[in-house]
């Protein structure tokens, strides 16, 4: 792969109006398209860890995305400098450094834009519902699993927020037409973490790119357009590794900070867990960074802070992130040749000097925050919301846009679906066979539900069940 193609600033809809007064690069224009979009704003009411939390401190998908964007840009600055001064790749031109930073900054904003309500639990709820029900549902007397192709079926069985993000920005966000935000192909390539279809998933391959799917059957043309334009051709875009690392750094540190703020874990417990985590495998770098946590706690005691534990954790997080950025940078440089060849198959964070620390933070957050009673109760409640919405709306869309009769309730349910989503369905289904139109109608439901915020999904569930809600 070569940087000139990897940083392709073309768009799927190649319309460009030049203005002498507009000095922005195409990647800077991407940034403004994203932050001005309703799709991005909806992230402010989508779960990061604690669903429907009323605290101003605890993170949402919006604040998390802003943090990932910032960390990704920092990694881009580091990597650009390393390629120029240390690796000395002549194909990486001086202007490429700014482009890399802009692309990664935008990718950080976008990486969760396709996530359904209620966090990653929402993905699992959608997968579970289709695995349980798709074979039981019928259309014109035949099970849907017999009518749809294998890839179409597997798209729903392996439904994924990252895959939906590509769909949102290339299709669903109705800016002008069915091309979504019409972002640059370099940016689109960067947000594709898993450049395989749902029938090519292989979690046992040892190659991270086949861990999950990266595009829906419905978006295959856009996917291959991006792959060809950037020269990746089924391989991971090098910047996708950095986006993934920025996300890993952000959520592993933020989840701990939020858990401390919520009272799920104390400073004392965190320090004990970190010092004891796989003690025989801890290197000098791990021990040094963990010792900083104790140093900051002692400093807080000296200054007489009312909550020295919280002060220590919040300040330690910043220092730890700096070490993680440095570790990922070194990991990228060490594996630069493999990354550019498309043969590197791991994530950069786990392969870095801070890999064990990030693993420890993830394990601690899971045990002390993700498995707490309030979150488990909310997830069980969210499961019921997804089951109800999928059951009602899938039933409504099966006869939609066919010669089959619809009940009044089915017609009203379809009318509730966003007009933009229905317009996209109409445009994309033109000239398609009955099988693909059926598949697109099912996607219409998942598109609508994934576009919901946590509060909107809850309120929709209550309203359709006759529970009065004041918006």
């Amino acid at each position: 792969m070569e940087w000139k193609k990897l940083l392709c600033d073309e768009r799927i809809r190649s319309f460009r109006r030049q203005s002498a007064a507009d000095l922005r690069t195409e990647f800077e224009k991407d940034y403004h398209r994203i932050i001005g979009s309703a799709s991005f704003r909806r992230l402010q009411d989508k779960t990061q860890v604690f669903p429907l939390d009323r605290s101003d401190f605890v993170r949402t998908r919006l604040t998390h995305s802003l943090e990932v964007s910032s960390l990704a840009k920092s990694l881009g600055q580091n990597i650009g400098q390393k390629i120029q001064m240390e690796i000395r790749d002549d194909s990486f031109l001086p202007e490429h450094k700014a482009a890399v930073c802009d692309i990664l900054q935008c990718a950080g904003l976008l990486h969760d834009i396709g996530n359904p309500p209620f966090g990653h639990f929402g993905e699992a709820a959608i997968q579970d519902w289709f695995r349980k029900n798709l074979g039981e549902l019928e259309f014109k007397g035949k099970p849907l699993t017999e009518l749809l192709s294998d890839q179409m079926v597997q798209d729903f069985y392996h439904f994924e927020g990252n895959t939906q993000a590509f769909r949102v920005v290339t299709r669903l966000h109705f800016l002008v037409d069915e091309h979504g935000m019409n972002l640059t192909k370099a940016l689109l390539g960067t947000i594709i973490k898993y450049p395989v279809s749902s029938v090519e998933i292989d979690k046992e391959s040892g190659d991270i790119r086949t861990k999950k799917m990266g595009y829906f059957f419905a978006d295959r043309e856009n996917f291959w357009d991006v792959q060809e334009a950037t020269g990746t051709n089924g391989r991971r875009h090098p910047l996708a590794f950095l986006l993934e690392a920025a996300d890993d750094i952000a959520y592993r540190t933020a989840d701990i900070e939020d858990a401390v703020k919520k009272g799920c874990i104390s400073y004392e417990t965190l320090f004990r867990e970190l010092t004891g985590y796989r003690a025989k495998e801890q290197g000098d770098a791990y021990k040094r960074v963990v010792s900083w946590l104790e140093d900051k706690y002692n400093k807080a005691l000296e200054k007489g802070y009312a909550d020295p534990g919280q002060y220590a954790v919040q300040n330690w997080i910043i220092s730890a992130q700096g070490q993680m950025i440095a570790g990922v940078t070194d990991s990228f440089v060490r594996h630069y040749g493999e990354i550019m060849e498309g043969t590197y198959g791991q994530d950069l964070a786990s392969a870095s000097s801070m890999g064990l620390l990030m693993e420890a933070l993830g394990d601690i957050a899971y045990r002390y925050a993700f498995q707490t009673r309030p979150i488990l109760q909310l997830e069980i409640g969210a499961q019921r919301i997804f089951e109800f919405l999928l059951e009602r709306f899938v039933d409504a869309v099966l006869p939609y846009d066919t010669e089959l009769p619809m009940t009044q309730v089915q017609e009203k349910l379809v009318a509730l679906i966003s007009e933009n989503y229905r317009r996209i369905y109409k445009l994309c289904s033109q000239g398609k066979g009955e099988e693909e139109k059926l598949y697109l109608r099912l996607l219409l439901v998942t598109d609508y539900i994934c576009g919901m915020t946590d509060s909107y999904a809850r309120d929709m569930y209550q309203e359709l069940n006759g529970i009065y809600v004041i918006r």
Side-chain angles (χ1 to χ4, degrees):
M1 292 180 282
E2 57 184 52
W3 285 108
K4 184 178 179 180
K5 293 195 71 174
L6 289 168
L7 304 181
C8 174
D9 66 356
E10 297 173 0
R11 304 177 188 275
I12 292 175
R13 176 172 42 78
S14 56
F15 173 79
R16 185 178 300 175
R17 180 177 295 169
Q18 296 287 358
S19 170
D22 191 348
L23 302 179
R24 297 175 299 169
T25 67
E26 293 303 311
F27 305 125
E28 288 170 334
K29 292 175 185 176
D30 280 347
Y31 180 83
H32 295 125
R33 290 185 183 205
I34 296 164
I35 62 171
S37 71
S39 300
F40 180 65
R41 288 196 300 276
R42 278 197 290 268
L43 294 175
Q44 66 187 312
D45 189 18
K46 287 199 174 186
T47 293
Q48 176 61 17
V49 176
F50 299 96
L52 301 170
D53 194 89
R54 297 184 179 183
S55 168
D56 290 335
F57 178 89
V58 172
R59 290 164 173 84
T60 64
R61 285 285 165 189
L62 179 65
T63 52
H64 167 69
S65 295
L66 292 169
E67 291 175 339
V68 174
S69 175
S70 176
L71 290 166
K73 182 176 181 179
S74 295
L75 283 170
Q77 291 170 328
N78 281 11
I79 296 303
Q81 186 74 6
K82 289 283 187 179
I83 294 175
Q84 289 177 333
M85 306 303 295
E86 189 172 319
I87 298 173
R88 297 187 181 279
D89 183 343
D90 293 336
S91 70
F92 191 84
L93 304 179
E95 60 268 26
H96 288 167
K97 182 178 179 181
V100 164
C101 291
D102 289 339
I103 292 168
L104 284 169
Q105 184 179 33
C106 291
L109 297 178
L110 288 176
H111 81 286
D112 276 348
I113 206 165
N115 277 29
F118 304 109
H120 289 297
F121 178 78
E123 294 172 318
I126 293 172
Q127 293 169 7
D128 289 346
W129 190 88
F130 277 105
R131 286 173 178 159
K132 179 181 178 182
N133 295 285
L134 199 59
E136 303 296 322
L137 293 169
E138 292 187 352
F139 179 71
K140 294 185 177 180
K142 290 186 177 181
L144 300 192
T145 48
E146 291 183 15
L147 295 170
L148 303 176
S149 71
D150 187 31
Q151 185 175 346
M152 292 175 183
V153 170
Q154 295 302 321
D155 279 359
F156 295 107
Y157 288 176
H158 296 281
F159 190 89
E160 227 276 321
N162 287 299
T163 307
Q164 186 70 12
F166 183 76
R167 181 164 173 77
V168 168
V169 298
T170 60
R171 188 77 75 190
L172 300 180
H173 182 88
F174 201 90
L175 184 66
V176 175
D177 52 26
E178 71 275 19
H179 295 300
M181 294 185 192
N182 198 34
L183 303 170
T184 57
K185 294 178 182 179
L187 175 54
L188 295 175
T190 299
I191 67 171
I192 299 172
K193 293 175 66 175
Y194 311 104
V196 297
S197 71
S198 58
V199 294
E200 297 171 303
I201 297 171
D202 184 359
K203 296 182 179 181
E204 306 302 322
S205 70
D207 188 342
I208 197 169
R209 76 181 188 89
T210 65
K211 182 180 178 181
K212 300 178 182 179
M213 70 171 179
Y215 65 98
F216 291 108
F217 175 80
D219 304 316
R220 61 197 182 281
E221 292 179 2
N222 284 339
F223 172 81
W224 285 112
D225 186 356
V226 171
Q227 295 292 298
E228 183 178 356
T230 57
T232 46
N233 297 317
R235 297 167 292 183
R236 245 194 183 191
H237 195 295
L239 299 188
F241 287 97
L242 298 175
L243 172 62
E244 180 180 53
D247 187 23
D248 288 344
I249 294 171
Y251 81 77
R252 290 186 188 273
T253 54
D255 289 354
I256 290 294
E257 186 178 6
D258 284 355
V260 170
K261 183 69 176 180
K262 290 284 292 183
C264 299
I265 186 171
S266 66
Y267 157 79
E268 291 79 10
T269 301
L270 175 62
F271 185 70
R272 184 184 70 249
E273 289 278 0
L274 288 172
T275 53
Y277 188 80
R278 292 167 59 177
K280 293 182 179 180
E281 301 174 42
Q282 295 176 11
D284 292 339
Y286 180 99
K287 293 177 180 177
R288 183 182 69 254
V289 176
V290 172
S291 71
W292 293 348
L293 178 58
E294 186 176 34
D295 293 342
K296 293 181 183 298
Y297 181 77
N298 291 332
K299 183 178 179 181
L301 288 175
E302 292 173 6
K303 292 189 174 183
Y305 285 102
D307 191 341
Q310 186 172 309
Y311 169 89
V313 172
Q314 287 181 251
N315 281 268
W316 177 75
I317 289 297
I318 297 171
S319 300
Q321 286 179 342
Q323 292 301 300
M324 292 172 184
I325 289 172
V328 168
T329 300
D330 291 341
S331 186
F332 188 94
V333 171
R334 282 200 317 274
H335 300 288
Y336 183 75
E338 300 164 80
I339 290 171
M340 295 302 290
E341 291 171 1
T343 58
Y344 186 66
Q346 300 181 55
D347 68 274
L348 291 174
S350 64
S352 74
S353 58
M354 291 290 104
L356 184 62
L357 177 61
M358 294 179 71
E359 181 183 319
L361 293 175
D363 178 69
I364 295 167
Y366 176 79
R367 288 186 286 114
Y368 286 91
F370 287 79
Q371 294 298 297
T372 58
R373 185 181 184 88
I375 289 184
L376 293 176
Q377 289 176 327
L378 281 166
E379 287 183 344
I380 293 170
Q383 177 79 21
R384 180 61 190 137
I385 292 174
F386 277 103
E387 288 177 348
F388 175 81
L389 293 176
L390 285 164
E391 178 184 338
R392 298 304 301 273
F393 282 99
V394 167
D395 175 74
V397 301
L398 288 179
Y400 173 62
D401 194 33
T402 72
E403 75 281 4
L404 296 177
M406 295 180 68
T407 67
Q408 291 186 28
V409 172
Q410 287 173 328
E411 290 177 349
K412 290 175 181 178
L413 284 165
V414 170
L416 288 176
I417 297 175
S418 166
E419 182 185 355
N420 283 348
Y421 292 159
R422 284 184 281 129
R423 183 186 294 120
I424 294 298
Y425 164 77
K426 290 289 188 181
L427 288 169
C428 294
S429 63
Q430 289 179 2
K432 297 295 192 299
E434 189 173 79
E435 171 194 82
E436 190 163 351
K437 290 178 75 172
L438 172 60
Y439 164 75
L440 291 173
R441 292 199 298 278
L442 294 176
L443 272 185
L444 176 59
V445 175
T446 54
D447 289 341
Y448 178 51
I449 292 176
C450 280
M452 295 180 179
T453 63
D454 292 8
S455 298
Y456 188 93
R458 177 199 59 196
D459 292 349
M460 175 68 73
Y461 169 78
Q462 292 178 338
E463 289 171 346
L464 294 182
N465 277 285
I467 304 170
Y468 184 67
V469 175
I470 300 176
R471 291 194 184 274

